[in-house]
Amino acid sequence: MCLIVLSWQQHPDFPLVVASNRDEFHNRPTESARWWPDESDILGGRDLQAGGTWFALHRDGRFSAVTNYRDADAPSARDRSRGHLVTDFLLGADKPVDYLSMINGSDYAGFNLLVSDGESLAYLSNREDEIRELQPGVYGLANELLDSPWHKVLRSKEAMEQLIDSDKINETELLRMLDDRQKAPANTIESSRLPFSTAHAISAPFIVLPDYGTRCSTVALRDLAGNWSMRERRFDAAGTNTGESAFRVDPAQP
C-alpha cells in the first residue's frame, strides 16, 4: 500500500515536488537510497529481491516511481519486475509519453507508473486503457488508479495543498506530512479481503503493522534550475526512525 503525492507546476520555486511512502513486508531485502555502483547516474533505493526500484532519480533530471495495483490477480512467475519500469525510463532518453506508449502492460502484474523528464509528467496504469500526460496540479497515488478517493490519498493531497498555500514546501514539512498515522473512520473500512485490523491499519498514510508497513519515506524537490534535493527516512516495524540520508543532484555536474 505505497503512497505518492506530488505537486506539478504548482509552486513558484519547485516545479515538481514528490513525497512518497514505501510500504512493504519488513523481511523483504532492501537497499537504502544511494548512487548505484552499477548505474552511477541513478539515485534511489533498491529492491534486492527483484533488482528494481520503487522511486529513483537520474543525474540528468529524470524521475520515476511505481506502485503496485491492488487487485485480485496475483503476480505470476512470468511477470517482469515492475521495478524495472522505473530504471528502464531513467536509463533511456524517451519523452515520458513516448516511453509509456512502448510498455506492454500484459508483461507485468498490476502497476501505476509516473515518469518525468522535467518538461512533462505522465502516468500509466495497466489497469486502464489510457496514458495521461498530467496537467499542472496536485496528484495522489496509492494502489488503485491515480487520484482514487482513498482516505490516505485525500488526506495527503489536502496536506500538500496546504503546504503550497502556506509556502511551507521543504523537506522537513514534507516528511512530517508523510508521517500521518491517522486511519480512516472504522465504519468506512471494507475488509472482505483482509482482517479488519489490517484493513484499518493500511488506510493510514503511514502504516504500522508487525510484519508489513512503511519502510521508508522519501521526498524530492526539483527547482527551477533542474537541481534535485532528496531525503530518505527509514523506519523499523514499530514505525521508529532508524536513519536517513540526504542528497543533492545537479544535472550540470558529471
Side-chain angles (χ1 to χ4, degrees), residues 32-54:
S32 302
R34 64 167 177 162
W35 292 103
W36 292 8
D38 54 333
E39 296 290 353
S40 59
D41 288 328
I42 292 183
L43 170 64
R46 209 162 195 175
D47 174 17
L48 297 179
Q49 181 168 306
T53 184
W54 58 95

Side-chain angles (χ1 to χ4, degrees), residues 50-184:
T53 184
W54 58 95
F55 183 118
L57 310 175
H58 192 279
R59 198 180 300 275
D60 68 4
R62 292 162 80 84
F63 154 78
S64 184
V66 68
T67 71
N68 297 345
Y69 187 95
R70 182 187 177 197
D71 58 17
D73 297 333
S76 163
R78 299 187 303 273
D79 293 331
R80 294 192 66 205
S81 168
R82 290 165 285 199
H84 291 296
L85 291 164
V86 173
T87 51
D88 288 350
F89 173 73
L90 296 179
L91 292 171
D94 296 300
K95 295 293 186 182
V97 168
D98 294 339
Y99 172 73
L100 296 181
S101 69
M102 293 185 290
I103 294 172
N104 183 355
S106 62
D107 289 343
Y108 303 88
F111 70 80
N112 297 291
L113 180 64
L114 291 160
V115 293
S116 176
D117 60 358
E119 297 179 1
S120 64
L121 171 69
Y123 162 80
L124 172 69
S125 173
N126 61 348
R127 293 300 185 261
E128 68 174 2
D129 296 325
E130 65 173 320
I131 294 168
R132 304 192 214 176
E133 184 167 358
L134 300 183
Q135 300 305 305
V138 173
Y139 297 91
L141 180 63
N143 298 91
E144 204 172 76
L145 298 178
L146 185 71
D147 284 340
S148 292
W150 288 11
H151 171 81
K152 65 197 306 170
V153 171
L154 295 174
R155 279 184 67 85
S156 301
K157 284 182 62 180
E158 181 180 3
M160 175 73 86
E161 289 165 351
Q162 290 175 351
L163 290 178
I164 294 170
D165 290 344
S166 58
D167 196 21
K168 292 183 178 179
I169 291 292
N170 57 64
E171 293 175 359
T172 299
E173 292 293 338
L174 291 167
L175 286 167
R176 184 176 292 121
M177 177 191 78
L178 290 171
D179 196 35
D180 179 2
R181 308 188 185 198
Q182 180 65 50
K183 303 169 189 174

Side-chain angles (χ1 to χ4, degrees), residues 176-203:
R176 184 176 292 121
M177 177 191 78
L178 290 171
D179 196 35
D180 179 2
R181 308 188 185 198
Q182 180 65 50
K183 303 169 189 174
N187 63 0
T188 67
I189 299 300
E190 192 281 318
S191 59
S192 60
R193 294 176 56 199
L194 296 169
F196 173 80
S197 60
T198 301
H200 197 202
I202 66 175
S203 70

Side-chain angles (χ1 to χ4, degrees), residues 211-251:
D211 299 322
Y212 176 93
T214 299
R215 297 277 302 271
C216 69
S217 296
T218 308
V219 300
L221 297 89
R222 191 178 196 271
D223 67 21
L224 294 171
N227 304 308
W228 284 96
S229 59
M230 187 176 103
R231 185 175 297 270
E232 179 191 82
R233 181 172 291 171
R234 298 173 289 277
F235 303 92
D236 62 17
T240 302
N241 181 350
T242 60
E244 61 183 74
S245 304
F247 308 88
R248 183 165 175 82
V249 185
D250 180 353

